[in-house]
Structure formats: C-alpha cells, structure tokens
Amino acid sequence: MALRKGNNSLKTNIKHSPRYLAVKLLDRVADSGSYANITLDQTIEKEQLQPADASLLTNLVYGVIQRQLTLDFYLKPFIKKPQRLERWARQNLRVAVYQMVYLDKIPNRAIFYEATEIAKKMGNRGVAGLMTAILRQIERQGVPRLTTISEPLKRLSISASVPEWLVAKLIDQLGEKKTEAILQTINQPAAASIRVNTAIATVDEVQAELAELGLETTPSELSPVGLVRQGGFLAGTTAFAYGQYTVQDESSMLVAASMQIEPQHQVLDACAAPGGKTTHIASYLSAEAGGHVEAFDLHPHKVKLIKDNAKRLHVADVVNARAFDARKLRDVVANKSFDRVLVDAPCSGLGLMRRKPEIKYTRQPEDLLNLQKIQLEILDSVAIKVKPGGILTYSTCTIVDEENQDVIKQFLAKHAEFEPIPVHTDKALKVATTPYLRLYPDDYGTDGFFICNLKRKTR
C-alpha cells in the first residue's frame, strides 16, 4: 500500500495535540479494557478540543483500533525486539503508521515530528530516536503488501483486522462471500442515528430543527421513527435535552416495533439498561389505558440511567425500573402476568464491531458458550411470566449462531408451550423475518442484530 503525503502544520504544544492524546487514550484503553468511546468523549470534553482536533482524535483512535492487526503486520519487519517495546511506544508507532497509510492530508514530516516529541514526553530521547529510525525506514521501504500472506484465512484476518478464530467461525456459519462482505463493512465509519420520540414531536419536526443547526439527516431505511447522519454529535442539542429524540442504532429500533405493543399492555423488560428499548416500548403504552413496563437490570447504577432516560423522554409514568438479576425473577413478579416480555440478552456484542472495535480483540471462542448459558437461564426464568397468547421477544447485538438461533433451538426444546412467529417490522426489509430476523452490518450499514418472537400457546 502506498504511503501518502499532504500538507499540515506541525503542532508545538504536544501534550494537548490530538496525536499525543490518541496515544495516551489508546494506551489507557488497552490497559483497562474499557470502551474507547467513553474515554474519547471524556477526553474531548476535558481538553475542550476544537471540532477539527476532536475529529482528528476520533479518527486516530478508532482507526488504530479498527486496523490494529493490519498495522502490526505493517510494523513487524521494522521492530527487531518487540518484547522490549513498551505498550505506549507500540501505540505511538501504530498512530504514526495509520496516518502514513490511511490519511492523505498529513505529511510525513509532521507525523515523524510529533511521534518523536510524544516519545520524548512519554519515554526518553533514546526511545524517541528509535521511533524516528523505524518510521524513516518504513518511509524508505514502504509497508509490506498484504498479498504476500499466502494462507487465505490469515490474509483475510490481517486485511480486515479480525482474529482468525472469528473469521473462521463466520465463514463456517455464513459462507465466505457473506463473511467478506461483513468484513469489508465493519471498518467503515459508523453513522449516527436517532429515534424520534413521537409522543411529543414528529419526525419531520425534528429533522427540520436539526437542519437549522446544520445537522442534515436522512430517514432510516429500517424504522419510520429513525433519522441517520454520517458523523456529527447529536446528543448536544436542545431538542435532545427536551426529549424530542434519543440516540439509538437503527437495528435496535426494530425490537420494540417487533413486539406489537398495545397501549394497555403489561410489559417486562428483563435486561433493560441503559433504557433505549425500554423507553421505545414505553412510547407505545398509555398510563390512562393501564399500560406499564417493568424494567430490570442487574446493576443499580445502570437502573439510574433507565430512570433518567424515561424522565427525559416523558415516559416515566409508565416505567418502573429496578435492580435485579433477571435469572431470579420467579418470585419477584407474578406468573403469566405480562402481555409482552423482552429479553435483550447480555451477549458478546460482535454485531457492534464497527461502533466498538475493541470487542473483536477481547472476545474469545469460549465466551460464546458461557454467554449462551446465561442467555438460556434468563429465558427460562421469564418464560413463565408470559400470558397465554403473549409474546416473548429475544434479541441480541451479536451475529454468531451460538448466541442466536442455537439459543432459540435449545429454549424451544424445553418449552413446547412457545412457538416462533414472524418478526413484525414497520418497514419492508430485504432480509428474512421468519422464523427470526438476522441483520448483519453489511445489510444496511447498521449494527448486527438478532430478533426472535415466540408466542405462548393458549392451550
């Protein structure tokens, strides 16, 4: 791959530069295992970065994480003693090579200068000299070509920067063509999407308000209450604060719609935090008609998020949020008392690889079966809570069979009182909705998602 050059001014205040902040942030994320998006938002706010610098920082952080395996492949021939390279130094090199290979408006002299200054600040002059020498050598020789990787699985893994075990699993379950389509999609920037709170505003009204702020949006292909924008921060407007909309991925908006909720329904949301689906469910309910949603989550601090979101979106009158383990609900709420039950289950999150690229490196094959056990325990716990004729909805934000259709198959083997029904969608989709809905990142450019609706038989 060619190394690109362009024009950009050199930064002098290194501790506040986007590149220095990117190295520090990437090192912190690697050390703590936290999600980059949270640390990134905190850094942008703390540093009070201008939009251009915030955009560059975001690009560097997500770009390096998304391309980590590829960047390490590019760096490998130039690092003689990798075991002696500290984690921050490797992050510094990744940030530099990412700019050299993937960004076309930053000249190498600016990249080298800041990489060296960062090394001086975080290490010493000796390390700084090593950084410079490595980068100069890369500039002279160019990075190795991906086509030199002879083994097809490894080449696909390195090219997409996805661990080999996961690439092999996707090929086994979905075929090579579909897997390649997914892998080509997940390193593209994720769009921002919002769900309009139609209880107090229309989609047209919110779209017009955002346009006045210079935030142009387009209607979602998946949901009639969704709006989409390529980039931009949509949670900082007056309309957001007032509850006219909330930030939610398009695929996630399909869940509440699939449940076919009526105003008077009693609904159980077993794994509710942070409340995006809970509040969407609540938008279909009416306090006057007796509608209500009982929302549970294992973590007390996350229950506060549910309550805060319900209040902001003006649906607190039909939401009761409590901290409790959904696997132990047998004696907490009455049996056969809910018209609708949602299990948006804890999962590997492998459908979120575009939005949270760290996931693909932290998950291991054994995680899938460990999570499957938890998913089945929750379904077993809440099954008795569904009224005859009611619907139990199971959803995940993952794309592997172990956590999706395999869970449904095992559940139905134990619970003959349930049968799968088609997944209702408000818009016609190009993907199958019977016996369940499987949405992959390449289908609509959204998070990967799985939804299955199970109806409790009346006899």
Side-chain angles (χ1 to χ4, degrees), residues 21-248:
L21 294 172
V23 173
K24 293 284 286 186
L25 195 155
L26 288 163
D27 190 48
R28 194 184 319 156
V29 169
D31 181 48
S32 65
S34 60
Y35 288 129
N37 62 328
I38 298 172
T39 311
L40 181 62
D41 290 344
Q42 292 170 345
T43 301
I44 291 172
E45 183 176 359
K46 179 183 177 182
E47 294 289 329
Q48 297 183 321
L49 295 180
Q50 294 299 311
D53 284 345
S55 177
L56 177 57
L57 175 61
T58 301
N59 188 333
L60 294 177
V61 169
Y62 277 100
V64 168
I65 295 174
Q66 287 173 330
R67 305 284 185 179
Q68 182 173 306
L69 298 185
T70 314
L71 293 170
D72 286 351
F73 170 77
Y74 291 152
L75 280 164
K76 187 176 180 180
F78 304 99
I79 302 176
K80 305 304 180 187
K81 298 179 180 179
Q83 71 279 3
R84 296 177 61 180
L85 200 64
E86 292 188 55
R87 188 179 59 228
W88 70 262
R90 182 174 290 276
Q91 298 291 10
N92 192 21
L93 287 170
R94 286 170 175 162
V95 169
V97 174
Y98 174 76
Q99 294 173 86
M100 294 169 73
V101 175
Y102 295 103
L103 303 185
D104 59 4
K105 294 183 179 179
I106 304 174
N108 285 350
R109 61 184 176 83
I111 297 169
F112 295 174
Y113 172 81
E114 290 220 357
T116 303
E117 292 300 305
I118 290 167
K120 290 178 185 177
K121 183 66 65 175
M122 299 183 71
N124 54 53
R125 288 189 175 275
V127 178
L130 176 63
M131 299 283 109
T132 303
I134 290 172
L135 294 175
R136 293 288 183 196
Q137 191 177 5
I138 293 173
E139 183 181 44
R140 289 193 299 271
Q141 297 183 19
V143 294
R145 295 180 179 277
L146 294 166
T147 52
T148 61
I149 305 173
S150 58
E151 206 281 303
L153 180 62
K154 183 177 181 181
R155 184 168 60 249
L156 192 55
S157 167
I158 297 298
S159 300
S161 195
V162 174
E164 283 189 48
W165 75 265
L166 182 52
V167 176
K169 181 172 290 295
L170 292 175
I171 290 174
D172 179 60
Q173 295 182 355
L174 302 174
E176 191 168 342
K177 184 177 180 181
K178 182 65 173 178
T179 297
E180 289 182 354
I182 292 171
L183 297 182
Q184 288 172 4
T185 304
I186 60 169
N187 289 327
Q188 297 172 5
S193 58
I194 61 173
R195 172 175 59 81
V196 176
N197 182 10
T198 52
I200 61 171
T202 67
V203 173
D204 289 343
E205 287 170 346
V206 170
Q207 189 172 27
E209 285 186 50
L210 291 175
E212 289 180 7
L213 299 173
L215 298 170
E216 299 291 341
T217 58
T218 56
S220 166
E221 292 185 74
L222 300 184
S223 170
V225 296
L227 292 171
V228 181
R229 175 177 169 79
Q230 292 300 323
F233 182 64
L234 299 176
T237 69
T238 301
F240 175 86
Y242 185 64
Q244 289 182 293
Y245 66 85
T246 192
V247 176
Q248 188 172 351

Side-chain angles (χ1 to χ4, degrees), residues 339-351:
D339 301 281
R340 302 289 186 267
V341 172
L342 171 62
V343 175
D344 185 52
C347 70
S348 64
L350 291 171

